[in-house]
Amino acid sequence: MAFSVRGAEIVPCPCCGRELRVIGSRLRKSIKPSGDIIVLNIRRLRCTYCSKIHHELPDFIVPYKRYDADSIETVVSNDSVQTIAADDCTLYRWRNWFQTISNYLIGCLISLSIRNFQVPVDILSVAPQSALQRIGHFVGDAPGWLGRVVRPITNLNLWLHTRSAFLSRNA
């Protein structure tokens, strides 16, 4: 059984800011912390101006990740995780991914705050010790913080493509 995903608000194209039109849908799987797999029917959208295709993802999905944001958030926030149905290698990769991308995410959040004239004074003076504390200044530390980080960065087309596959020179 697939759940249909449809946004309530109208989001402009992340690339050029113009109108998006629905051109179809596709199935997307997401793994919950319990290990249960949910299947989502997400809409494919095409920009009427630049013709780029985008997918409408719900807040609990992190682009290019198979597990939901709650699973990744739990692992990144805590050192000992017993409630996530994933192997130790996956947990290690999530921590490594977050450590690698955290400075970029903080930079994006600072940029968005400056753009919206909402820069916290303490961000510019003394930075807290951890990346989680710095991110917490922008989105809070309540559950769901990762979704609150992902959404604005993705909607402005600033999300980094983080797949591990690469092309060789000879390809």
Side-chain angles (χ1 to χ4, degrees), residues 27-84:
L27 296 179
R28 168 83 150 70
K29 294 179 183 176
S30 178
I31 304 172
K32 298 179 89 35
S34 63
D36 295 333
I37 297 174
I38 60 170
V39 180
L40 304 169
N41 188 9
I42 60 172
R43 296 191 306 175
R44 298 182 72 216
L45 308 164
R46 176 176 282 144
C47 178
T48 57
Y49 183 75
C50 68
S51 300
K52 296 206 177 187
I53 296 175
H54 305 282
H55 295 92
E56 185 176 38
L57 298 178
D59 289 343
F60 62 88
I61 297 289
V62 177
Y64 309 111
K65 300 291 181 200
R66 294 179 188 263
Y67 284 78
D68 66 4
D70 288 340
S71 301
I72 298 169
E73 181 180 307
T74 301
V75 171
V76 169
S77 298
N78 304 322
D79 289 331
S80 62
V81 178
Q82 303 296 326
T83 60
I84 305 298

